């Protein structure tokens, strides 16, 4: 199958159509002074030039408590960020793509215990025949460094061929190591093999639009929406340097399943509200409670993640706080069942089943560690401390 580049215009939904009704933070049980400290921290970062802009959203019990935008979407020409600005999700995209696989399980098309090769026979090449869907989504598949070429962005027969040529780096299931790109390219090929449609179209039709997020979340950004996309930067000496590849039209159109999604913070907070509410957002039931409970469970215990340098307590598409001293992005104060995902050097989104809270924090500069991880812990902890 050859995947067609997405060129159609997707109309943005106005606030009246957004699936989360608004409420005040105090009505939803948040401590306003703590949220004030959160705003102050983000404002301080922007004043220091750490990143040009940011957007945050906070929701609870199916209502939106906070949706705020800071700073600039672009530095040259100077462009203020606003509520309609779309932010590159980087690896936050993985949760959206994984949700496509969850949908196939919910619909009875596959099982998490299935082998990938049961559905893509040639994937068995190079010793990969026994890798299961669960191992793939929990980063235990054994090929963390593999990737595909840009030729696959439009030619999905070539995508399937290259995915099947991935080679093992260690025995599947024997080790935990974050697969930055390879696992989700494989998931995309799996979705296409089962549905017969472009994975981007499937994600839009099965996940994004049914949730009412058509104007707030994209995997494959149509050209008509490119003007809404913030420019992505990285620190460069005393300033910020725009990243050429990430800001290119081909990459925005591609909808790379591991790292190419775009969203507003309120869109991601709403997606996580659906997850924390057991698969339902308002009157929209996307998944069963049992499925969400299963995929957000800790499937890897305290295994050391050799890509992250700490235990990551992997679910099937998300990771879980657990009880270890350190955890990436979710905040050290998070309850053990809190789950989420981040985007490299830039963002984190998460939900806490204990409190019903979901939170999204997205910026437009890819900042290296150790500063990045430290600020994520501070940001998340301020939200946790605001929960009454």
């Amino acid at each position: 199958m050859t995947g067609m580049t997405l060129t159609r215009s997707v109309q943005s939904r106005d606030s009246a159509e957004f699936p989360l009704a608004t409420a005040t933070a105090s009505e939803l049980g948040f401590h306003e002074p703590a949220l004030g400290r959160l705003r102050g921290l983000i404002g301080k970062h922007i004043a220091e030039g750490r990143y040009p802009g940011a957007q945050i959203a906070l929701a609870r019990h199916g209502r939106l408590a906070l949706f705020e935008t800071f700073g600039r979407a672009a530095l040259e020409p100077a462009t203020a960020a606003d509520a309609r600005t779309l932010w590159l999700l980087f690896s936050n995209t993985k949760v959206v793509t994984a949700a496509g696989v969850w949908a196939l399980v919910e619909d009875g098309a596959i099982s998490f215990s299935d082998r990938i090769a049961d559905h893509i026979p040639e994937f068995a090449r190079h010793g990969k025949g026994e890798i299961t869907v669960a191992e793939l989504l929990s980063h235990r598949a054994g090929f963390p460094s593999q990737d595909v070429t840009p030729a696959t962005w439009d030619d999905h027969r070539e995508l399937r061929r290259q995915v099947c040529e991935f080679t093992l780096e260690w025995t599947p299931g024997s080790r935990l190591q974050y697969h930055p790109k390879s696992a989700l390219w494989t998931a995309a090929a799996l979705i296409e093999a089962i549905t017969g449609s472009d994975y981007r179209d499937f994600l839009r039709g099965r996940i994004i639009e049914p949730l009412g997020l058509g104007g707030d979340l994209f995997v494959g950004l149509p050209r008509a929406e490119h003007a809404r996309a913030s420019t992505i930067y990285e620190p460069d000496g005393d300033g910020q340097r725009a990243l050429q590849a990430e800001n290119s039209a081909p990459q925005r159109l591609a909808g790379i399943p591991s790292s190419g999604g775009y969203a507003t913070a309120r869109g991601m907070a709403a997606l996580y509200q659906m997850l924390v509410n057991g698969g339902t957002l308002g009157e929209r039931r996307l998944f069963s409670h049992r499925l969400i409970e299963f995929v957000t469970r800790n499937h890897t215990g305290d295994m050391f993640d050799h890509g992250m340098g700490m235990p990551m307590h992997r679910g099937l598409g998300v990771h879980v706080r657990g009880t270890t001293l350190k955890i990436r992005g979710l905040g050290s104060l998070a309850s053990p069942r809190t789950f989420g995902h981040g985007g490299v050097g830039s963002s984190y989104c998460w939900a806490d089943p204990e409190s019903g809270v979901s939170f999204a924090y997205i910026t437009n500069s890819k900042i290296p560690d150790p500063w990045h991880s430290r600020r994520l812990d501070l940001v998340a902890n301020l939200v946790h401390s605001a929960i009454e």
Side-chain angles (χ1 to χ4, degrees), residues 98-114 133-134 137 190 194 202 206 287-288 291 294-295 316:
V101 179
W102 304 343
L104 297 178
V105 174
E106 185 87 338
D107 295 345
I110 62 171
S111 172
F112 289 120
S113 59
D114 285 0
V133 175
L137 295 182
L190 179 64
I194 293 170
F202 179 77
R206 181 62 174 80
F287 297 111
S288 66
L291 182 134
F294 185 76
V295 299
L316 302 185

Side-chain angles (χ1 to χ4, degrees), residues 63-98:
R63 291 188 287 172
L64 187 66
L66 181 154
F67 176 43
E68 296 185 16
T69 307
F70 304 79
R72 294 180 176 179
L75 294 175
E76 294 183 6
T79 306
D82 61 28
R84 295 189 73 254
T85 300
L86 294 170
W87 309 78
L88 180 59
L89 293 174
F90 287 108
S91 287
N92 283 293
T93 313
K94 287 179 170 67
V95 177
V96 185
T97 304

Side-chain angles (χ1 to χ4, degrees), residues 358-374:
S358 63
F359 177 67
Y361 164 72
I362 316 178
T363 73
N364 59 340
S365 183
K366 189 168 72 170
I367 303 173
D369 280 329
W371 191 86
H372 169 59
S373 288
R374 183 176 183 276

Side-chain angles (χ1 to χ4, degrees), residues 12-351:
S12 299
R13 297 174 182 268
D14 63 31
S15 59
E17 296 174 311
F18 190 71
L20 298 181
T22 59
T24 68
S26 59
E27 285 174 336
L28 293 179
F30 293 105
H31 186 59
E32 285 283 7
L35 296 181
R37 289 190 287 272
L38 172 64
R39 294 183 185 96
L41 180 66
I42 295 172
K44 179 174 180 287
H45 291 166
I46 291 174
E48 292 173 346
R50 296 286 189 172
Y51 41 89
Q55 198 171 77
I56 58 174
L58 181 65
R60 192 178 197 182
H61 307 321
R63 291 188 287 172
L64 187 66
L66 181 154
F67 176 43
E68 296 185 16
T69 307
F70 304 79
R72 294 180 176 179
L75 294 175
E76 294 183 6
T79 306
D82 61 28
R84 295 189 73 254
T85 300
L86 294 170
W87 309 78
L88 180 59
L89 293 174
F90 287 108
S91 287
N92 283 293
T93 313
K94 287 179 170 67
V95 177
V96 185
T97 304
V101 179
W102 304 343
L104 297 178
V105 174
E106 185 87 338
D107 295 345
I110 62 171
S111 172
F112 289 120
S113 59
D114 285 0
R115 300 174 301 178
I116 306 296
D118 293 338
H119 303 282
I120 307 177
E122 64 270 35
F123 185 78
R125 294 171 188 159
H126 311 302
K128 304 193 302 297
E130 298 303 312
I131 297 171
T132 67
V133 175
E135 288 172 332
L136 182 77
L137 295 182
S138 60
H139 299 271
R140 294 175 291 162
F143 47 86
S145 302
Q146 304 299 293
D147 198 2
V148 301
T149 69
T152 65
W153 294 357
D154 294 322
D155 184 347
H156 287 201
R157 288 193 183 94
E158 179 64 11
L159 168 60
R160 177 166 170 156
R161 187 194 71 78
Q162 290 192 25
V163 162
C164 291
E165 291 301 327
F166 286 168
T167 56
L168 291 176
E169 299 161 51
W170 33 266
T171 303
S174 67
R175 178 182 172 108
L176 174 62
Q177 184 168 338
Y178 185 54
H179 290 48
K181 297 181 179 180
S182 55
L184 279 301
W185 279 121
T186 304
L190 179 64
I191 289 169
E192 294 190 343
I194 293 170
T195 67
S197 63
D198 189 304
Y199 71 88
R200 298 166 293 188
D201 292 335
F202 179 77
L203 294 175
R204 189 152 193 89
R206 181 62 174 80
I207 307 296
I208 297 169
E209 290 184 343
L211 287 177
L213 300 178
D216 286 82
L217 177 58
F218 300 85
V219 179
L221 189 65
R223 288 187 187 276
E225 303 291 343
H226 285 200
R228 296 175 59 196
S230 64
T231 302
I232 300 301
Y233 298 88
E234 68 178 3
D236 181 21
D238 294 328
Q240 295 281 339
R241 179 178 69 89
L243 297 176
Q244 296 302 310
E246 284 84 348
N247 293 306
S248 69
Q251 189 144 324
R252 287 173 175 171
L253 289 161
I256 295 171
S258 61
S259 54
Y262 280 82
T264 62
R266 73 171 189 172
M268 294 304 290
L271 177 72
Y272 275 87
Q273 270 296 288
M274 177 272 293
L275 297 177
V276 82
N277 288 322
T280 299
L281 188 65
E283 300 300 317
R284 302 168 171 92
R285 183 186 188 274
L286 198 66
F287 297 111
S288 66
H289 178 84
R290 290 293 177 88
L291 182 134
I292 297 302
E293 184 181 66
F294 185 76
V295 299
T296 61
R297 184 183 304 168
N298 179 0
H299 285 254
T300 61
D302 288 341
M303 290 178 69
F304 185 83
D305 187 318
H306 292 265
M308 294 295 178
M310 66 184 76
M312 285 298 291
H313 321 120
R314 296 285 178 187
L316 302 185
V318 297
H319 76 272
V320 186
R321 169 64 182 96
T323 57
T324 52
L325 179 62
K326 293 179 64 179
I327 193 65
R328 189 174 175 86
L330 301 178
S332 55
L333 299 183
S335 67
R337 292 177 58 209
T338 301
F339 59 85
H341 212 289
V344 61
S346 60
S347 56
Y348 240 87
C349 304
W350 51 261

